[in-house]
Structure formats: structure tokens, C-alpha cells
Amino acid sequence: MTPSYDVIIVGLGAMGSAAAYQLAGRGARVLGLDRFAPPHTLGSTHGRTRVIREAYFEHPLYVPLVQRAYELWDELTRESGRTLLVQTGGLMMGPADGALVAGARESAERHHLPHAMLDAGDVARRFPPIRVPEGEVALLEPRAGLLFPEACVEEALDGARRRGAELRTGEEVTGWRADGGADGDGVEVTTDAGTYRASRLVLAAGPWNPELLARERTAAPLALPLEVERQLFHWFEPVRDAELLDAEVCPVVLWEFEHERIVAFLPDTGDGVKVGIHHGGEITTPDTVRREPTADDEAAVRALLARVLPSANGRLLDAHVCLYTNTPDHHFLLDAHPAHPQVLLVSPCSGHGFKFASAIGEVVADLATGGATRFDLRLFGVGRLRS
């Protein structure tokens, strides 16, 4: 007999784990499927630490969503008893009229967020290891900090199981189809282990989402302009001022080092100072990506580290490849499938989505159970990707 569920979720990383947790908490019969065993290092949801920030330079519309994410991360922390978020403060550095500083300032002012504008001298006095390049400024936001992604996913999945969700890992989706007409009345998902039916389907597989869309069993599966991008994380041992680079005293730093090119420096939580260039990697797929970091990868981040955080530019401690799944405008994809209203397309988050996962899980639960949410999702519609 084919099992029957209210919602099947494909992909149990950041967004899928949060959606399973939220839906199961509402009493939904949830089946979660993943070809691997999250958290793992093959996709987007890893890296030990991730930035969370409130003065969102990408667009002010994200601010209410990230504010709700803070609340839900706190709730999951209380339920699990595990530290999932630490507040460090954050410095957004670059030209005053650049995308990063100007965008963060617009969000802060529009949403009345606490913040301060600092010059190079201000930063040097407050955070001695950090150097603001000549002619540039910094915006300090006190609520920024770090999330621990592996712990977040583990606790969301454990919470989903406690709430009754059935989670099956090591099981690959080989095809799916949606039944019914415009209103939709169910889905069928086939894996390498069986076939399952549900009222709703959530596709939240990150870099595997393009492949999943192509596995729809219709004459013309939906094709969207999504690209998977190779990214790097590096961790470095400080050569001095180690105590000033610790997450207890050092903020997260984002720096617009070229026009609309950003690098992130994350303070030391025990593994060294983490550095990652945001975008600019080669286009790839999760099955063909070059997973070994190279000397050129290291040289690129060292050159930036030397300019603004030279005391952290010591021995390389570790490096890993990560994957971004990008839309052309780098805004999220969070909408119903245009041909199948019972199928939700969740993410791709273009490399800046993890911090929102707790709130996106709630939004997915809203859409899957009631068809509406209180958040403004106009930036995230599928229609813009088909014009």
C-alpha cells in the first residue's frame, strides 16, 4: 500500500529541515526525503559558521523576514538547549555610496534599526585588528552575528522527528508528478526505494533543485535559469591579536572590495578566522564541481585578508568547497510551481539564505497549509524568472 502524507519535502538541508520542523509542529503528516544524510558537506548547508545580519543591504524587504528568523532561531535554541546563534555585531565596510554600505544604511533607516556610521579611526579604536581602507566607511549593526549551520539543521531535524515527521535519508528522488488541474489535488514522488503520495510537495534541494525540476514526469518540465556556483571557505590561524579576533569581541566583517564584490570575514569560534568571497566562482553542478580547494583559491582570499585583517593572515587551517544556487537577480525563489499550485519551489537562495531558514520554514508551512503568509514575497516569485 502506498503511504499517504500531507506534505512531502525533498531536500532536508537548511530550508527543508526547517519546513519539516514547522509543518510537523502543526500536526501535518510529513515525509522528508534526502539522497544524503544532512547535515553534510556536499551542498550549501555547512561551513561551521554562517552570518546573520539585520540591516540587509540586498533589499529592505528582507528585514521583517530576518527579524522573524532571529525569533525562531531563539525558539529552537530554547527547545534544543544547544547554542545555535551568537551575537557579535557586524561591520559593513566599503565606499559610502557602494552597494553594501548604502544598502545596509537604507534598510537600517527604513526599519529604524540601531546602527552607527564609523570612519577608519572609529573602527581602529573600537576594533584594533580591523583596517578600513582609505576613503571608505563602515556601518556597525549590533544585532549581527553567527549561526552554527550543522547544529541548526541537526536540531531542526531532531525536532521534526519528535513532532512526528518521517525522515528518510539515503533515498534519491527519481521522478515526481502532480495530479489534477488548476487547483491541484495531490502529488506522487518516486524514489529508488519506493513511491509515495501526498497532497503537497516541497522542492527544497538547493543545488539539486534544477535536476529535480527536470525529473517531473510530464511532456515539458519547468525550466528555470538557475545556476550552481562553486564557492570557497578558508580558515586561517591568527599571527597576532588572537584574543581580539575571537567571536566574543570581534564582529563579523563584510567588505565591498570592488564594485558589488564582497568578502566576508567571520571571527574565530575555535577553528580560526573564516574568510569567503561572495560570488565570482565558476558555474558547475553538484555532480561535477571541483571539490578540492586550490592554491589559487587560497591566494585570492589571502590577498583580501592582508588588506583589512592582516593579523589573521596566518597558517591555513582548513578549506572547503560550498555551492550557491543562484537566480539571475540573486533574490530567492519561494513560490508555487506555475503549473501545479500544490508544488512549492523553495530557495535557491543565491548564497545569502541560510540565516532565513527558520523563517522560510514557517513561510513554507503557511503556504502548504493555508495558502498565504503574512510576509511580502514579491521579490521571490517564479514569474520573474520566466519572462
Side-chain angles (χ1 to χ4, degrees), residues 53-57 63 67 87 89-92 96 100-119 122 126-127 137-144:
R53 49 194 166 85
E54 188 176 27
Y56 217 69
F57 79 87
V63 173
Q67 290 175 325
Q87 188 171 311
L91 279 176
M92 314 299 143
L100 176 59
V101 173
R105 187 169 190 173
E106 179 184 2
S107 284
E109 292 176 348
R110 185 178 300 189
H111 291 280
H112 308 290
L113 306 178
H115 67 286
M117 297 303 302
L118 308 179
D119 60 23
D122 297 327
R126 297 182 66 164
F127 309 109
V137 299
L139 181 145
L140 175 65
E141 61 151 304
R143 288 244 291 165

Side-chain angles (χ1 to χ4, degrees), residues 224-304:
L224 295 176
L226 306 178
E227 290 186 333
V228 177
E229 182 182 6
R230 179 180 182 268
Q231 296 287 296
L232 274 297
F233 301 135
H234 290 81
W235 288 263
F236 296 96
E237 182 179 49
V239 293
R240 61 182 182 279
D241 298 331
E243 70 283 358
L244 299 179
L245 296 169
D246 188 272
E248 291 188 0
V249 294
C250 184
V252 168
V253 178
L254 271 63
W255 175 41
E256 186 176 2
F257 62 94
E258 294 176 0
H259 178 64
E260 297 185 352
R261 295 294 314 283
I262 292 169
V263 59
F265 306 96
L266 283 61
D268 192 352
T269 59
D271 298 298
V273 173
K274 180 180 174 183
V275 186
I277 298 172
H278 186 51
H279 290 301
E282 66 192 55
I283 303 306
T284 185
T285 74
D287 295 324
T288 62
V289 61
R290 294 186 299 120
R291 292 198 175 272
E292 290 301 317
T294 69
D296 288 343
D297 295 327
E298 179 183 346
V301 294
R302 277 196 184 277
L304 298 172

Side-chain angles (χ1 to χ4, degrees), residues 78-347:
R78 290 193 296 271
E79 180 180 329
S80 67
R82 190 172 179 183
T83 299
L84 303 178
L85 187 158
V86 294
Q87 188 171 311
T88 63
L91 279 176
M92 314 299 143
M93 301 180 358
D97 59 353
L100 176 59
V101 173
R105 187 169 190 173
E106 179 184 2
S107 284
E109 292 176 348
R110 185 178 300 189
H111 291 280
H112 308 290
L113 306 178
H115 67 286
M117 297 303 302
L118 308 179
D119 60 23
D122 297 327
V123 172
R125 284 186 289 274
R126 297 182 66 164
F127 309 109
I130 302 171
R131 298 179 179 178
V132 178
E134 184 177 355
E136 298 184 1
V137 299
L139 181 145
L140 175 65
E141 61 151 304
R143 288 244 291 165
L146 300 173
L147 289 161
F148 302 103
E150 288 86 354
C152 291
V153 171
E154 287 170 357
E155 295 306 325
L157 293 175
D158 285 349
R161 290 187 186 98
R162 288 194 300 270
R163 295 173 169 200
E166 179 182 346
L167 307 180
R168 300 174 66 93
T169 58
E171 191 165 337
E172 182 177 357
V173 171
T174 57
W176 62 274
R177 66 182 180 87
D179 300 329
D183 294 332
D185 62 0
V187 295
E188 182 179 272
V189 177
T190 303
T191 74
D192 53 10
T195 298
Y196 310 96
R197 291 189 59 80
S199 299
R200 299 284 184 269
L201 174 62
V202 176
L203 299 181
W208 290 274
N209 262 356
E211 182 179 332
L212 274 175
L213 287 173
R215 291 186 178 183
E216 181 187 357
R217 289 177 172 162
T218 67
L222 178 65
L224 295 176
L226 306 178
E227 290 186 333
V228 177
E229 182 182 6
R230 179 180 182 268
Q231 296 287 296
L232 274 297
F233 301 135
H234 290 81
W235 288 263
F236 296 96
E237 182 179 49
V239 293
R240 61 182 182 279
D241 298 331
E243 70 283 358
L244 299 179
L245 296 169
D246 188 272
E248 291 188 0
V249 294
C250 184
V252 168
V253 178
L254 271 63
W255 175 41
E256 186 176 2
F257 62 94
E258 294 176 0
H259 178 64
E260 297 185 352
R261 295 294 314 283
I262 292 169
V263 59
F265 306 96
L266 283 61
D268 192 352
T269 59
D271 298 298
V273 173
K274 180 180 174 183
V275 186
I277 298 172
H278 186 51
H279 290 301
E282 66 192 55
I283 303 306
T284 185
T285 74
D287 295 324
T288 62
V289 61
R290 294 186 299 120
R291 292 198 175 272
E292 290 301 317
T294 69
D296 288 343
D297 295 327
E298 179 183 346
V301 294
R302 277 196 184 277
L304 298 172
L305 192 60
R307 293 172 63 186
V308 298
L309 210 61
S311 59
N313 199 8
R315 180 170 61 96
L316 178 67
L317 299 175
D318 203 359
H320 286 284
V321 168
C322 177
L323 298 175
Y324 284 3
T325 310
N326 300 324
T327 61
D329 59 11
H330 289 177
H331 292 308
F332 300 167
L333 173 58
L334 183 51
D335 200 358
H337 191 293
H340 311 302
Q342 70 271 50
V343 178
L344 291 177
L345 310 176
V346 180
S347 204

